Amino acid sequence: MKNKNYNNMDLEELSEFIESIGEKKFRAKQLFQGIHKNKYYGIDEFTNFSLSLREKLKKHGNIVPSKIYNKLESKLDKTRKYLIELNDGNIIESVYMEYSTHNTICISSQVGCKMGCTFCASTKQKFVRNLEPYELLNQVYTVQKDIGKRISNIVLMGIGEPLDNYDNIIKFIKILSNKDGYNISLRNITLSTCGIVPKIYELAEENLPINMTISLHNPFDNERKKIMPIEKKYNIKEIVDSTKYYFEKTGRRISFEYTLIEGVNDSYKHALELRNIIRGMNCHINLIPLNKIREFNENSSSKDAINKFKNNLEKLGLNATVRKSLGQDISGACGQLRAAHIIK
Ligand code: SAH
């Protein structure tokens, strides 16, 4: 019974627990609201509970925080990168980005990553472990507390592959969107995946219509295989079919991410094949200039080449935008995040 982690429990689990210690069920909702709506960080902040109830709760468990280990602020824009220390000393990164109409936090889903994409820093250290729901939630709450305003959008695009940590991600989304908690709209959550096909089908059935974006980067199987090992397991046609199903089930438009690498995937032939594979889909293409990481020697396509690629896609009838790279000076841009370990 000891050592419950209250901020890792959904309302149902809290209700069961509260009843098991002989308390009234409505206390579970108050506990849930305190953690997820009011962002109480300790049981003592629950002044709506009697002292004896607080003592009882402390005896059985606690609310486990995550700490800000370091914070880097971009000089180029309002981006901030947070190094967040977990209870076991591992460090992950979350990035806060501000726009004129909204703000977004990019959160990590794992400590390290198994996917091995050649151009991505997040996968260069070895995979350590999945993040628990409370560690996903803490990224949002800790950063929100630090900036002092509500975060409106969440993107699961930091370190790790979210669909490789499926159950925890689902629980996180359910808790975060609960109306008694943070109450975020599912429309404001975006999950990015390298294409774990069976999990895309599974997510389509969850009745959680979040936005889905697929890291594609190349429309040819044999070329994609060279930069994204997951392609050996699930090919492009299988991925595209699963996203069509996801769209049918959820009504959420699919996006494809396409990182432009000079001389590798930026030719007219690539634009044409990209059109062929997603023809007729209601989708969007996010073009991302390659961000530099030390382990990958290729260069980003030039500004001109990127614009040319975009124009070609548009002439072929596709919607494409070039993603503005934020936080490059603090290694906070796409693909630049890494898990670190504190050596104590
Ligand atoms: N594992 C998930 C989410 C993390 S990566 C996924 O693969 O989608 C978030 C996005 O940044 C992905 O589209 C990824 O392919 C892209 N990315 C990775 N490294 C990059 C780099 N060096 N430059 C630009 N984009 C990169």
Side-chain angles (χ1 to χ4, degrees):
M1 257 319 211
K2 249 190 136 20
N3 289 330
K4 290 267 175 209
N5 192 341
Y6 298 131
N7 48 335
N8 209 32
M9 295 161 77
D10 60 26
L11 194 47
E12 233 168 56
E13 290 168 328
L14 284 177
S15 299
E16 254 171 51
F17 161 72
I18 284 286
E19 283 184 319
S20 77
I21 59 166
E23 296 293 332
K24 296 239 164 60
K25 208 173 165 182
F26 74 95
R27 295 288 180 203
K29 196 165 173 178
Q30 288 179 323
L31 189 54
F32 187 86
Q33 281 175 334
I35 297 169
H36 301 288
K37 198 174 192 166
N38 307 331
K39 316 283 172 334
Y40 295 159
Y41 275 83
I43 299 297
D44 284 325
E45 289 183 60
F46 285 79
T47 46
N48 49 339
F49 288 174
S50 68
L51 261 182
S52 68
L53 176 55
R54 281 186 244 162
E55 286 312 312
K56 202 169 177 183
L57 288 173
K58 280 198 256 179
K59 203 177 88 197
H60 288 286
N62 60 348
I63 301 169
V64 183
S66 301
K67 278 186 278 181
I68 296 177
Y69 181 73
N70 201 357
K71 181 170 79 177
L72 304 169
E73 297 188 39
S74 171
K75 291 190 178 64
L76 308 172
D77 49 67
K78 284 186 177 165
T79 304
R80 294 183 200 180
K81 181 164 86 165
Y82 289 87
L83 278 75
I84 295 190
E85 182 181 350
L86 308 172
N87 236 7
D88 63 0
N90 278 302
I91 295 207
I92 47 151
E93 302 188 331
S94 316
V95 181
Y96 171 78
M97 292 159 283
E98 209 166 284
Y99 304 89
S100 56
T101 53
H102 63 282
N103 59 14
T104 299
I105 180 175
C106 170
I107 69 167
S108 295
S109 54
Q110 298 177 314
V111 183
C113 182
K114 296 178 210 156
M115 298 300 128
C117 300
T118 53
F119 49 91
C120 181
S122 301
T123 195
K124 297 299 175 190
Q125 283 103 330
K126 76 173 192 340
F127 173 78
V128 181
R129 66 174 176 88
N130 283 328
L131 293 184
E132 296 279 321
Y134 81 96
E135 293 170 320
L136 299 161
L137 293 160
N138 275 350
Q139 294 178 64
V140 182
Y141 301 166
T142 310
V143 171
Q144 157 146 330
K145 199 161 197 176
D146 189 66
I147 56 161
K149 54 181 146 179
R150 184 177 162 89
I151 291 167
S152 62
N153 293 60
I154 315 281
V155 295
L156 285 152
M157 288 191 194
I159 301 162
E161 168 49 50
L163 294 186
D164 187 39
N165 183 16
Y166 187 84
D167 293 345
N168 289 338
I169 294 289
I170 296 297
K171 191 170 175 186
F172 158 73
I173 294 170
K174 285 184 178 166
I175 293 178
L176 199 68
S177 58
N178 190 305
K179 64 174 176 17
D180 290 313
Y182 195 82
N183 194 18
I184 195 167
S185 161
L186 294 170
R187 289 172 173 264
N188 291 357
I189 301 178
T190 301
L191 182 148
S192 178
T193 176
C194 60
I196 304 192
V197 168
K199 295 292 175 192
I200 297 174
Y201 283 107
E202 211 174 320
L203 187 58
E205 307 296 344
E206 295 279 359
N207 201 15
L208 289 174
I210 58 167
N211 304 307
M212 163 91 62
T213 159
I214 304 290
S215 296
L216 189 65
H217 309 312
N218 204 303
F220 296 105
D221 285 319
N222 61 336
E223 292 184 19
R224 190 170 186 263
K225 229 175 254 175
K226 290 185 194 149
I227 53 167
M228 299 184 71
I230 191 71
E231 167 73 28
K232 292 176 195 145
K233 230 169 163 178
Y234 309 111
N235 67 26
I236 293 168
K237 169 143 189 357
E238 290 171 312
I239 295 174
V240 170
D241 286 349
S242 71
T243 62
K244 285 181 181 161
Y245 184 78
Y246 188 83
F247 174 68
E248 253 173 55
K249 278 282 180 178
T250 63
R252 305 304 298 153
R253 186 177 72 165
I254 303 292
S255 298
F256 291 96
E257 284 163 301
Y258 198 98
T259 295
L260 283 153
I261 311 172
E262 186 174 42
V264 172
N265 61 358
D266 57 358
S267 72
Y268 182 72
K269 181 188 86 171
H270 289 93
L272 195 60
E273 185 61 12
L274 189 50
R275 193 276 309 267
N276 292 342
I277 62 170
I278 60 178
R279 205 175 207 152
M281 275 181 78
N282 182 359
C283 66
H284 187 84
I285 297 160
N286 274 321
L287 300 172
I288 317 175
L290 178 76
N291 292 309
K292 212 58 204 158
I293 66 159
R294 59 176 180 265
E295 297 91 344
F296 188 65
N297 272 335
E298 305 284 350
N299 292 315
S300 172
S301 308
S302 67
K303 250 194 170 139
D304 281 353
I306 293 174
N307 283 331
K308 198 165 151 199
F309 194 78
K310 177 177 181 281
N311 290 338
N312 282 334
L313 291 179
E314 282 169 351
K315 275 187 219 144
L316 291 163
L318 303 179
N319 296 312
T321 42
V322 180
R323 181 179 293 167
K324 202 174 151 213
S325 265
L326 296 175
Q328 264 186 323
D329 58 330
I330 50 170
S331 283
C334 291
Q336 292 186 316
L337 306 186
R338 308 173 181 260
H341 194 83
I342 309 181
I343 298 153
K344 285 187 172 152

